[in-house]
Amino acid sequence: MAVTFDGGVIIGSDSRATRGGEEVSSKTINKLVQVHQRIFCCMAGSLADAQAVLKTASFQLNLHSVQMEAPPRVIAAASLLRKLCYHNKDELQAGFITAGWDPQKGPQVYVVSLGGMLISQPFTIAGSGSTYIYGYTDAKYRPHMTREEGLQFVTNALALAMGRDNVSGGVAHLVVITEEGAEHVVIPGNKLPKFHDE
Amino acid sequence: MSSIGTGYDLSASTFSPDGRVFQVEYAMKAVENSSTAIAVRCKDGVVFGVEKLVLSKLYEEGSNKRIFNVDKHVGMAVAGLLADARSLSEVAREEASNFRSNYGYQVPLKHLADRVAMYVHAYTLYSAVRPFGCSFILGSYDVDDGPQLYMVDPSGIAYGYWGCAIGKAKQAAKTEIEKLSMKDMTCREVVKEVAKIIYIVHDEVKDKAFELDLSWVGEVTNGRHELVPKDVREEAEKYAKDSLEEEDDSDEDNM
């Protein structure tokens, strides 16, 4: 998931990868990929497809940034991903959340869906665990949160999703992106907030 | 000023002994034969003015436009071979459109100017093709970079400017443009000055009838490149004609 707050964005995910829903193949993978200094992407769908697409898009984004002699815009990263997902939709099963900060528009969150739709949202959730937290995020999200409120929002949401979804779990990876840069926060499973029945 | 290249000027793939590519220089001569086009970048936008010579009374009014729209926020004024200029405007349009499609935002003018300049430059490398016989001025306005103005000539160089002129009266026009303090002026003020400059440099003796094409892009148009609206045009032309008459009167007094 990713959410904008006053002055930045927070992008977060769990760290579990499963094989066929039966075996946890990794407890600690990082699904948050840095495509540029202030732009991160979250992968969804087939991780193999997503990694391949991200590698290509990262390269194109870097080249673009060098040509423009300026840090790339978040919309540029999202548009490159969209182009790849849309024009190869027959072969790929990959979706992304792109979140970042740029000097032109400030904090932004974009969603690129499986077929190649690109939209901008103030916050978004995705992945199998997201179904359990639509109610929570819809109720608790407020525009112009502070950084601390944003962190609390994401931490709680991830904890609730990881608590109910069997294929989500592990640690919570969060990245806070602002004008100053990107800061990675990792919260181990046992330090996540506990809710009813835990 | 004109020198004959005898022998070294047959193709663009040949240098002369003193290091010149004559075909490119001849292309620039083609631009100098065309009527003048100027553009001025001011505080909040860019204004284009073209002296469009009317060669025949049978021409439909407004035909053979020399100012093109390249993208919503980019305008292009040309001088030289109009057919070459038209095909380059299509190239510029495709570049701008591809950029928007790939990256999701409007192309920054510096990048567009560099891309089209690279294309123009490619035609100066081979003997199988001739260089483009036109220069053009690109201007844009967007909220992030503000007003921008670039000029590309047949050699394939793009430079950024605050004010520039191309065509037969470019020297006279440049002198007039240099007198303006455009960094402190708004589009509305500059459009009158641009009209005045075109009227000043227009040669009444050699070329008779002409149409003045004015266009602008800036805060005043919300970032869209458009032809100047009729009332602003008329005001600008009136200002231009009145200023010329004043100068004529003052000349008579001195006599």
Side-chain angles (χ1 to χ4, degrees):
Chain A
M1 64 180 287
V3 62
T4 53
F5 66 90
D6 224 2
V9 297
I10 302 174
I11 186 167
S13 82
D14 73 322
S15 68
R16 179 175 293 180
T18 61
R19 201 174 292 141
E22 283 189 0
E23 172 198 298
V24 176
S25 47
S26 172
K27 293 185 258 188
T28 53
I29 63 161
N30 189 355
K31 298 180 191 167
L32 303 177
V33 177
Q34 182 166 26
V35 290
H36 213 267
Q37 200 184 11
R38 290 182 185 78
I39 308 178
F40 275 73
C41 283
C42 204
M43 307 187 268
S46 148
L47 288 179
D49 286 350
Q51 272 189 355
V53 170
L54 263 179
K55 274 216 167 89
T56 311
S58 262
F59 158 75
Q60 290 172 348
L61 188 69
N62 244 301
L63 178 60
H64 170 69
S65 169
V66 169
Q67 283 177 335
M68 295 295 118
E69 293 173 356
R73 302 189 190 197
V74 189
I75 180 75
S79 297
L80 287 168
L81 288 168
R82 177 205 78 86
K83 228 173 189 218
L84 290 165
C85 289
Y86 179 77
H87 289 292
N88 297 300
K89 61 165 80 182
D90 294 340
E91 278 92 21
L92 293 173
Q93 249 185 4
F96 302 91
I97 296 177
T98 307
W101 184 96
D102 62 33
Q104 285 82 16
K105 286 218 165 82
Q108 300 147 75
V109 167
Y110 294 95
V111 178
V112 178
S113 72
L114 246 48
M117 173 190 76
L118 169 60
I119 56 172
S120 167
Q121 294 183 301
F123 78 94
T124 188
I125 56 178
S128 61
S130 68
T131 53
Y132 304 98
I133 53 172
Y134 274 102
Y136 175 78
T137 55
D138 283 347
K140 285 295 185 177
Y141 170 76
R142 273 169 307 110
H144 305 298
M145 290 188 282
T146 65
R147 183 201 154 103
E148 283 61 43
E149 288 170 336
L151 273 168
Q152 198 60 56
F153 176 70
V154 177
T155 313
N156 286 349
L158 287 174
L160 285 164
M162 285 153 72
R164 284 293 184 180
D165 184 25
N166 63 330
V167 295
S168 297
V171 308
H173 285 292
L174 285 85
V175 179
V176 184
I177 309 170
T178 60
E179 186 174 357
E180 277 84 53
E183 189 200 319
H184 202 146
V185 177
V186 179
I187 307 178
N190 56 352
K191 297 268 176 24
L192 284 170
K194 291 196 187 331
F195 295 94
H196 152 72
D197 238 13
E198 287 181 287
Chain B
M1 248 245 43
S2 54
S3 43
I4 307 178
T6 342
Y8 301 106
D9 61 349
L10 293 176
S11 78
S13 64
T14 312
F15 275 106
S16 74
D18 52 349
R20 297 154 72 174
V21 181
F22 279 104
Q23 277 299 309
V24 173
E25 295 191 16
Y26 294 163
M28 301 206 216
K29 292 240 177 58
V31 178
E32 281 168 32
N33 286 339
S34 136
S35 64
T36 322
I38 70 173
V40 176
R41 170 184 163 188
C42 58
K43 202 166 52 171
D44 62 348
V46 173
V47 180
F48 292 93
V50 174
E51 173 204 11
K52 206 171 68 176
L53 297 180
V54 178
L55 296 168
S56 158
K57 277 188 286 208
L58 295 173
Y59 277 148
E60 185 186 1
E61 202 185 311
S63 65
N64 285 339
K65 281 216 177 315
R66 286 175 46 193
I67 302 184
F68 303 95
N69 239 352
V70 167
D71 195 344
K72 265 195 282 195
H73 66 307
V74 177
M76 174 168 157
V78 305
L81 301 177
L82 194 46
D84 286 9
R86 285 210 184 114
S87 99
L88 279 174
S89 78
E90 272 306 303
V91 168
R93 283 167 181 162
E94 254 194 75
E95 284 288 340
S97 165
N98 282 341
F99 187 95
R100 200 189 263 274
S101 168
N102 283 333
Y103 303 109
Y105 64 100
Q106 291 177 334
V107 61
L109 193 64
K110 177 169 199 310
H111 184 73
L112 178 64
D114 283 344
R115 295 284 298 184
V116 187
M118 248 197 297
Y119 186 89
V120 170
H121 169 252
Y123 282 72
T124 67
L125 297 170
Y126 310 105
S127 57
V129 295
R130 65 163 174 80
F132 284 95
C134 65
S135 286
F136 51 95
I137 311 176
L138 291 164
S140 84
Y141 178 83
D142 69 49
V143 282
D144 300 311
D145 304 319
Q148 299 282 315
L149 181 59
Y150 282 84
M151 198 261 281
V152 179
D153 67 13
S155 65
I157 309 185
Y159 282 125
Y161 291 89
W162 277 94
C164 64
I166 49 181
K168 58 172 68 147
K170 71 174 187 213
Q171 275 310 119
K174 274 193 198 150
T175 320
E176 293 299 319
I177 293 175
E178 277 167 21
K179 294 181 191 164
L180 300 173
S181 43
M182 63 280 282
K183 294 185 195 182
D184 307 314
M185 295 165 76
T186 65
C187 272
R188 287 192 185 277
E189 294 161 354
V190 167
V191 74
K192 294 195 287 198
E193 298 300 330
V194 164
K196 178 175 158 197
I197 294 174
I198 295 283
Y199 269 85
I200 291 177
V201 304
H202 172 67
D203 189 340
E204 278 293 333
V205 175
K206 287 206 196 121
D207 313 306
K208 281 149 202 134
F210 81 102
E211 271 177 42
L212 170 61
D213 272 351
L214 286 171
S215 77
W216 57 5
V217 58
E219 258 185 64
V220 64
T221 63
N222 262 323
R224 292 186 76 102
H225 173 251
E226 330 178 305
L227 288 180
V228 155
K230 196 153 168 278
D231 53 342
V232 179
R233 239 184 85 97
E234 284 169 2
E235 196 196 329
E237 284 199 84
K238 185 167 174 305
Y239 172 83
K241 289 183 185 147
D242 291 347
S243 312
L244 278 183
E245 270 182 31
E246 267 179 34
E247 286 183 20
D248 283 347
D249 288 342
S250 72
D251 281 343
E252 285 172 16
D253 284 344
N254 283 338
M255 281 183 62

